[in-house]
Amino acid sequence: MAETAKGPASYFPSIEKKHGRPIGEWQDLIRSSPLTKHMELVSWLKTEHGLGHGHANALVAHTLAEGK
C-alpha cells in the first residue's frame, strides 16, 4: 500500500495540479530568491506567483526544512 504524504508534502499533488508546475520548480524558485525568511517567501509566492496561503506556506516550510 502506498504511504500517504504527511505535513507540507501532503499539499504537493494539489499544488502541481492547480498551478501546473512540478514541486521541484517551486523549490528552485524559493532557493534562488534573495529572500530568506519564511513569511517573506510566503508573501512573495502569493503576490508574485498567485499561490494561496496554504500552498505557499507548505512549499516554503518543506523547502526551508531541507536545509536543516
Side-chain angles (χ1 to χ4, degrees):
M1 184 196 279
E3 197 173 312
T4 303
K6 303 252 189 265
S10 67
Y11 285 86
F12 290 177
S14 61
I15 293 169
E16 289 179 334
K17 183 178 180 182
K18 183 171 183 174
H19 299 285
R21 282 184 161 171
I23 296 305
E25 283 186 27
W26 290 112
Q27 291 181 309
D28 288 344
L29 279 172
I30 292 166
R31 289 184 198 111
S32 67
S33 171
L35 304 172
T36 57
K37 294 183 178 175
H38 182 98
M39 287 311 296
E40 289 176 339
L41 287 160
V42 169
S43 294
W44 173 68
L45 287 172
K46 291 167 63 176
T47 303
E48 297 297 319
H49 298 282
L51 272 72
H53 182 81
H55 286 174
N57 190 57
L59 284 166
V60 172
H62 193 269
T63 303
L64 294 181
E66 289 178 334
K68 293 182 179 178

